[in-house]
Amino acid sequence: MNSRLVVTFTTLIVFLVAALAVPLGLAYASHRTNRLLLDRRADATRFAELADHAAREGDRSGLLAEITRYADLYGAAVRVRDRDGSLLLTAGRFEADDRDALRLALSGRTTEDLPTISPFGPATVLLAEPAGRDAQLSGVVLLQAPADRARVDVTLVWAALALGALVTLAYAVLVARRLARWILRPVTELDRTTQAIAQGRMDARAHPGVGPSELRRLEVRFNAMADAVAGAMERQRAFVADASHELRTPLTVLGLRMENLEPHLRVEGTAEYEEAMAELDRLALLVEDLLALARVEAGAGVEGKEIELGPRLAAWREVYGAKRVRLVTDISEMSVVPEVAARIADIALDNAQKFVPPGGTVTVTLADRLLRVADDGPGLGEEERAEALGRFWRSGAHANVPGSGLGLAIAAELARSCGATLRLLPAEPHGLVVELRLPQP
């Protein structure tokens, strides 16, 4: 956008400068051409008078001396022809084709205009002047004059105009850049703020102060909107956290009371009692996961400290051994990762031990800030992988597996909180890969 504004402003200035400089340059070239015409036509007129006098007197020696001296002094060429077009006298090196000029002069007319002088030509100009009075034409004078001095004058003026245009254009570009930055300053500020909010910094706000008044008002309204959205999200997180926290105590008391009822159950009620306890455990797990998600979204417990990954993974070996699932770790003994990455690895390993059948393998690797937890379980389809990071999502094939459906959602929030990228990929020939790309330190 900034470049487009600069280009637009600069283009307008270019057209404006061209609209001023080009007519000025052409006007001066025309003026200099007319001045050259007047100067040289005066000389041609004087030679025509001398030629007419020489024709009447029959002595052309004086005329020859005049045109020779003139040709030597100005580097010009002069031809004198009679009324039949025959050459009488010549001085200097005459190079131009004089047929058209000769016909013009023999018809009794003088040269009224010349080709416009420019830095690129012409090198010489040709003027024709009839000799004689009224209808008594005694001859013709043809004057070929150099246009070097006029070309130099036009070149200097055009160069000055071009230099002025370039300086004007340079200042115009500078002003256009400053003007574009001033106009887009609120837009840039809004872009920076929205990027910060998208990265999880809900307290980021635009700083109005520079730019058009309409865009400054937009910044103020954007800040008001961001405050309203942040407040709503904070109230939502607070409600989830409070509700989860307040539900823990009643659930704990309910569980204890149900356990106290177990000795008083009849045999036929045992199955219903176990199902009720299982649902109570599931509800307690859901409350714990909701509370954990609320804490992560609020930024609690996501400090940037780093821990060793090896001892964290070693704690899972006993769990995997009980499930008869092999856990393979390919990491350095001194591997250190952010605590958030270790928590994501815990979530991935917890999910894997639920779905990988006995005899399966789960592999954990860490290389170049890329943490991968791959299993050879049933895996997920493409559409399922796209939805698995959402809240409360559970695959239809895994409806009977214990869980709240919040594990991967918590992992996604943890990854976002530290600027990492979390992806779910298919494993070959089957299974699921949880890939976490950590940001560079």
Side-chain angles (χ1 to χ4, degrees):
M1 184 66 178
N2 184 76
S3 300
R4 291 180 182 179
L5 286 176
V6 172
V7 170
T8 301
F9 293 151
T10 304
T11 302
L12 292 176
I13 295 299
V14 167
F15 280 119
L16 180 61
V17 170
L20 293 175
V22 172
L24 284 176
L26 294 177
Y28 180 79
S30 177
H31 164 73
R32 190 63 181 84
T33 302
N34 290 333
R35 198 174 79 186
L36 176 65
L37 172 63
L38 294 175
D39 292 344
R40 294 298 173 259
R41 189 163 62 184
D43 298 335
T45 301
R46 185 171 65 87
F47 292 145
E49 293 174 354
L50 292 176
D52 182 58
H53 179 75
R56 288 197 307 270
E57 297 293 331
D59 183 11
R60 297 188 179 89
S61 58
L63 174 61
L64 179 61
E66 284 290 331
I67 62 176
T68 301
R69 185 165 55 250
Y70 181 86
D72 294 339
L73 180 62
Y74 293 103
V78 181
R79 281 182 180 178
V80 179
R81 295 180 181 271
D82 61 15
R83 60 194 306 176
D84 297 324
S86 300
L87 181 63
L88 299 178
L89 298 174
T90 183
R93 186 177 178 181
F94 207 98
E95 298 177 349
D97 184 2
D98 63 352
R99 286 176 294 182
D100 293 338
L102 178 61
R103 283 195 294 271
L104 179 69
L106 290 177
S107 65
R109 291 178 296 169
T110 186
T111 301
E112 296 294 339
D113 54 27
L114 295 176
T116 302
I117 302 297
S118 74
F120 314 104
T124 60
V125 293
L126 179 63
L127 289 83
E129 186 71 24
R133 296 177 181 176
D134 300 329
Q136 297 179 356
L137 186 67
S138 61
V140 173
V141 174
L142 301 173
L143 174 62
Q144 178 182 307
D148 296 343
R149 186 184 296 266
R151 288 174 63 187
V152 170
D153 293 343
V154 173
T155 300
L156 291 176
V157 172
W158 283 20
L161 289 174
L163 180 60
L166 290 177
V167 172
T168 303
L169 183 60
Y171 277 106
V173 171
L174 180 61
V175 172
R177 289 176 64 88
R178 291 182 177 273
L179 180 61
R181 282 199 297 268
W182 178 78
I183 292 175
L184 294 178
R185 163 64 176 72
V187 178
T188 304
E189 183 69 15
L190 287 174
D191 178 68
R192 180 195 63 79
T193 306
T194 52
Q195 182 181 11
I197 292 176
Q199 292 173 351
R201 292 171 48 201
M202 300 305 297
D203 60 339
R205 295 294 181 269
H207 302 288
V210 179
S213 58
E214 296 83 358
L215 293 180
R216 292 202 303 271
R217 287 198 300 270
L218 178 62
E219 287 183 305
V220 173
R221 292 168 183 170
F222 176 86
N223 288 341
M225 179 194 67
D227 290 337
V229 172
M233 293 180 64
E234 183 59 32
R235 288 191 295 272
Q236 179 189 15
R237 282 196 291 263
F239 170 77
V240 173
D242 293 343
S244 301
H245 180 74
E246 294 299 326
L247 284 172
R248 294 173 68 183
T249 301
L251 286 174
T252 303
V253 173
L254 181 59
L256 292 174
R257 290 185 176 180
M258 289 187 67
E259 289 177 359
N260 291 335
L261 289 175
E262 185 175 7
H264 307 287
L265 292 175
R266 295 178 181 179
V267 176
E268 60 269 19
T270 303
E272 293 293 335
Y273 172 79
E274 291 177 353
E275 290 180 4
M277 289 298 294
E279 288 298 323
L280 184 62
D281 291 340
R282 180 174 176 274
L283 183 57
L285 177 61
L286 178 60
V287 169
E288 289 292 338
D289 286 346
L290 280 173
L291 186 57
L293 181 60
R295 287 173 178 169
V296 172
E297 290 180 338
V302 292
E303 293 82 4
K305 67 178 181 180
E306 297 191 343
I307 63 172
E308 293 184 3
L309 186 59
R312 190 74 167 249
L313 298 179
W316 285 95
R317 294 194 181 276
E318 184 176 349
V319 176
Y320 273 72
K323 295 279 187 175
R324 291 185 296 163
V325 176
R326 192 161 63 102
L327 178 60
V328 179
T329 58
D330 183 14
I331 63 173
S332 171
E333 295 181 358
M334 302 300 295
S335 295
V336 176
V337 296
E339 185 180 6
V340 170
R343 293 174 62 181
I344 294 174
D346 288 341
I347 294 173
L349 290 170
D350 182 57
N351 282 340
Q353 62 91 16
K354 294 177 183 178
F355 300 113
V356 177
T361 303
V362 177
T363 304
V364 182
T365 60
L366 176 64
D368 296 330
R369 309 288 293 178
L370 181 65
L371 176 64
R372 289 168 57 94
V373 179
D375 64 62
D376 57 1
L380 297 173
E382 183 176 355
E383 293 183 1
E384 292 178 321
R385 292 196 303 273
E387 298 175 358
L389 296 178
R391 301 180 183 184
F392 301 107
W393 182 88
R394 291 175 64 84
S395 173
H398 306 150
N400 296 326
V401 178
S404 63
L406 290 173
L408 289 176
I410 294 174
E413 285 296 326
L414 288 170
R416 182 193 57 78
S417 68
C418 68
T421 303
L422 181 67
R423 296 195 303 167
L424 302 182
L425 305 172
E428 296 295 339
H430 55 81
L432 182 69
V433 178
V434 179
E435 182 180 276
L436 179 68
R437 170 70 68 177
L438 296 171
Q440 294 298 325

